[in-house]
Amino acid sequence: MKRLYTTLIFVCAICLNLWAVKKVTYPYAERDSTLYLDVYMPEDTLSEHPCFIYMFGGGFKSGTKSQPRDVVVFEQLCNHGIVCVAIDYRLGLKNYEGKVIDLLNRLEYSINIATEDLIDATNFIIGKAKELKINPKHIILSGSSAGAITSLQADFYLQNGNEYAKRLPEGFKFGGVIAFAGAVAKIKGAKVKYKNQPAPTFFIHGTKDKLVRYNKIDIFGRGMYGSNALAKQFSKNGWRHKIMRYKNFGHDVAIIGFRENVPAIVDFINQYVVSPKYNFSEDVMHSEPEVKEPLWNINALRLYEKDIKPQVTKDPVQLQRLR
């Protein structure tokens, strides 16, 4: 009877795809302080899993790798056989207040040190791939807002031979990138153009995002190329990607896009990374008629002003999606 009971539990776990989740924390780099990463592992019977490396958002000035709303998503992804890694990284704009031209210099610095940390975290994971039951060919970068920028920047640097990316093993390629309200930074007047084919990428962005622009912005030869601008470049070159456009949403998509799209994330990882059966791309318009204006938004140039208050929806139902 005991054996039958154990067998039934095992069968139910397979049918429902529900497994226990194990969390392990590792130090992965020494900077001014030690940087840590959390690994969420499904305790299943698989010998290899795709690996989802996630970077929190917060404008390069705040945030944590263990926000409860993010941990819930990690656990859900684990139940689909995906190892999740949430990392600390240096916040170059923490406590920063300054003028626009100084902000641009500081933002460039912040993106670069965050990218350096992400690449070092990737190297650490590659080195522990066997122990963590990860397939190094299926490492997916992801993040929200600042984390999405960093994830896109890391693959952009890799495809363009940037010095930061040379820290990765020779011949290494990311399996994919999933960016929730992200962009690639245009630094010191350089063009945002990939020299080599980027990893399959899933862009999720609000069409009215003024913080990390949905299209692109250029100030003094520097700027950001958002999801719409990047998707156009991917389409022109026939590079595999998916874009989900949230009509009339703003930077709130950095939060709700991650929380509310677990099935789409899993499908992307399976179809574009693990078992890429088709050479296709997708363009999806997510529309909610009741949403006419962003649920949460702020102009990028005002983010670092003292005591700034962003526009937030007063609709209690919609507000709950941001918590």
Side-chain angles (χ1 to χ4, degrees), residues 188-318:
K188 295 180 180 178
K191 293 182 179 180
V192 176
K193 185 177 181 180
Y194 293 83
K195 292 182 180 178
N196 298 306
Q197 182 174 336
T201 301
F202 188 3
F203 304 100
I204 304 93
H205 217 132
T207 62
K208 289 189 176 181
D209 195 336
K210 294 180 180 178
L211 181 52
V212 179
R213 295 301 177 103
Y214 166 68
N215 193 31
K216 59 184 178 181
I217 186 171
D218 193 309
I219 303 173
F220 307 130
R222 300 177 181 181
M224 290 283 179
Y225 275 57
S227 298
N228 186 51
L230 294 174
K232 286 181 179 178
Q233 189 174 152
F234 275 57
S235 294
K236 182 179 178 180
N237 289 282
W239 297 331
R240 299 176 66 244
H241 70 286
K242 179 175 181 178
I243 181 167
M244 183 179 290
R245 310 170 192 269
Y246 272 70
K247 185 177 180 180
N248 293 331
F249 283 73
H251 201 60
D252 36 84
V253 173
I255 297 173
I256 66 175
F258 183 47
R259 293 178 64 181
E260 299 178 4
N261 278 301
V262 170
I265 296 168
V266 173
D267 285 347
F268 177 83
I269 292 173
N270 287 332
Q271 295 174 7
Y272 285 77
V273 181
V274 177
S275 301
K277 298 179 180 179
Y278 308 104
N279 186 24
F280 65 92
S281 295
E282 299 174 80
D283 193 323
V284 179
M285 179 63 77
H286 177 95
S287 179
E288 298 178 30
E290 64 275 18
V291 177
K292 304 295 184 182
E293 295 294 334
L295 308 183
W296 180 90
N297 222 357
I298 185 172
N299 188 295
L301 298 180
R302 302 195 64 196
L303 179 63
Y304 302 96
E305 291 182 7
K306 188 176 181 180
D307 300 325
I308 188 66
K309 294 182 179 180
Q311 171 191 341
V312 182
T313 180
K314 296 180 180 179
D315 184 330
V317 175
Q318 298 291 4

Side-chain angles (χ1 to χ4, degrees), residues 103-116:
L103 172 60
L104 294 176
N105 292 331
R106 190 72 181 183
L107 178 60
E108 177 182 320
Y109 165 77
S110 300
I111 292 170
N112 282 336
I113 62 172
T115 301
E116 182 180 28

